[in-house]
Amino acid sequence: MDLFLVITTLTVIAASILFDWWYFMKLRSKKLPPGPSPWPIVGTIPQVAKHGGGVTKLSQTLQGKYGKIHTLWLGRRPMIFVNDPELTHDALVKQGIYFSNRVKLSSFGLVTNGWKTLATTEGSMTVALRKNIMTHMLGPSRLKAFKPLRDRAYDAIISDVKSAVGEDGVAQVHMRSVVYERIFTFVLALSFGVELEENITKEIILVLKERFYLAFKFSIGDYISVLKLFEGKHRNRLKQHQQRLEELFAPIMERLRRLQGDKSVITGNYCETLFQLEKDFPELNDSVITSLCSEFLNSATHTTSLAVDNTMSQLCEHPQVQGRLYQEIESVVGKKVVDESDLPHLPYLSAVVRESLRIKSPAATSLAHATSELRKLGGYDIPTDAVVLFGLESFHHDPSRWLEPSVFNPERFLENDLDILGTQNFSFLPFSAGRRACPGSQLAMLEISVFVARMVQTFEWEKAPDAKSVQASVGTALRARPRSV
Ligand code: HEM
């Protein structure tokens, strides 16, 4: 029996290594963009590990040597970085129909019921899910309808900070956590149309956060097949989290099905709109709807809370910008509370938010794209098996497009009124572009702008003495002092 097990294991290992070798050689024969020479089986993983800063940062440093389109090899798979705005326009707009597939990474497969969510699916289901989310949740008329819920989130965050003010007249605020929880509660109400009990909300937050980090964790088995054998623990934890979420969401969904049409439920909540799609897409069962609602919650909270955190950190590091922003708010809005309807009259606020998204993009790259057939980009082959990443942050720091790109200077957006959608050019593209562009960009801009404006209107901000410099994944500790009215 033991001998049988040993032989089977060795056969599986040998077959995996042979498969990776064959796959690597097949792709090596293509005319791929240049890059460091890969080793068989491991590719350029040793170079990535030696660099230590992650693939996106390594790609930015490789640009000088290999150009703005280059290849790293993660095991058997080529990962192609496109750090050039013109080539990105070519791929996402001119050839958008071919560059809109997604790479099927195994961790995402586990939390999306086999790649069935908006960000992971392809073809007619993507079209239907995008149409659904834009029509019922994120389009202009729905954003207007959900404004009272957002107003509650803005008010809540101000009272959170006020209630943290101590006897010394100062509040210590971990900005990202505070914003995250308020946005989460708002998006939870959009997802299910009803307010959930506090303990259930807390558990959903915990499970979703952990599940998010596990799903985005580098999974080496996706690149070196044989190492999948050692990822059982990771896979099991993901499965457990998915199962717990299904248990938490099941009674909520069951109640929503019963209550359809009830006036106490916010109509057009995300879950209900997905029930309507079940007729055309039978694969949309409760388990897939759980994944879709989780995706909605994660994508709407992580990036937006990070963007608010980054902006507030920048305002603390640049008190003169904070002062000018306060003056603009005071002269335009006066003593009343800033409202979304004031935003068109606050050009400096808009410049501050855009400059913050430029200097520290919450999404440094697009999500991983894949092509539906062998395509050409910049004269190179882009095979269907390649992971293609568009280096949004690198466009924002390109010295040939931006004067002093590492300096935080909102004035540049007053002089050059670039929008967030890349309509004028792709030098500034925080939400990506084309068929897979972020569907939540308008909601995100509204929320970031009002959160920042309300916080600057009510408090004077500085970094907490022990705060680390802007920390992307963790968030920043700040101090708030109520302004004298
Ligand atoms: C500052 C805030 C945000 C930033 C910087 C951001 C950025 C992005 C980026 C770069 C992508 C990848 C596009 C691509 O792969 O080409 C994306 C996708 C996505 N975002 Fe956002 N996002 C933000 C907020 C939101 C919000 C509020 C929502 C609301 C639900 C949202 C929902 C999504 C979804 C569902 C996708 C996947 C779209 C698809 O694959 O078709 N995002 N986002």
Side-chain angles (χ1 to χ4, degrees), residues 148-165 171-186 301 304-309 312 337-338 446-459 461 478 480 482:
L149 286 176
R150 285 194 300 281
D151 285 342
R152 277 170 66 178
Y154 305 141
D155 290 343
I157 207 156
I158 296 298
S159 51
D160 288 344
V161 180
K162 275 188 181 155
S163 60
V165 174
Q172 292 273 359
V173 183
H174 189 271
M175 183 52 66
R176 192 169 180 199
S177 317
V178 178
V179 178
Y180 181 92
E181 290 202 9
R182 290 302 168 188
I183 298 182
F184 195 93
T185 311
F186 157 66
T301 45
T304 313
S305 58
L306 183 53
V308 176
D309 186 277
M312 294 306 295
V337 165
V338 184
L446 273 180
E447 289 180 325
I448 302 165
S449 306
V450 180
F451 274 127
V452 169
R454 293 268 324 250
M455 285 195 270
V456 169
Q457 183 182 39
T458 322
F459 306 98
W461 294 86
L478 302 180

Side-chain angles (χ1 to χ4, degrees), residues 102 118-119 130 138 296 299-300 303-304 307 362-363 366-367 369 392 430-432 436 438-440 443-444 448:
R102 291 295 192 198
L118 173 48
R130 275 190 83 99
L138 301 171
F296 185 53
S299 45
T303 39
T304 313
S366 67
L367 295 174
H369 284 243
L392 312 175
F431 296 96
S432 192
R436 289 290 189 172
C438 175
L443 170 63
I448 302 165

Side-chain angles (χ1 to χ4, degrees), residues 162 164-172 459-460 479-483:
K162 275 188 181 155
V165 174
E167 281 177 3
D168 56 354
V170 173
Q172 292 273 359
F459 306 98
E460 219 180 315
R479 281 155 60 96
R481 191 181 298 276
R483 291 187 190 274

Side-chain angles (χ1 to χ4, degrees), residues 246-265:
E246 287 178 21
E247 283 162 15
L248 285 166
F249 286 2
I252 309 172
M253 288 200 252
E254 200 256 322
R255 187 164 159 242
L256 273 184
R257 284 191 198 277
R258 258 190 294 119
L259 287 180
Q260 280 196 50
D262 186 314
K263 294 243 176 345
S264 66
V265 178

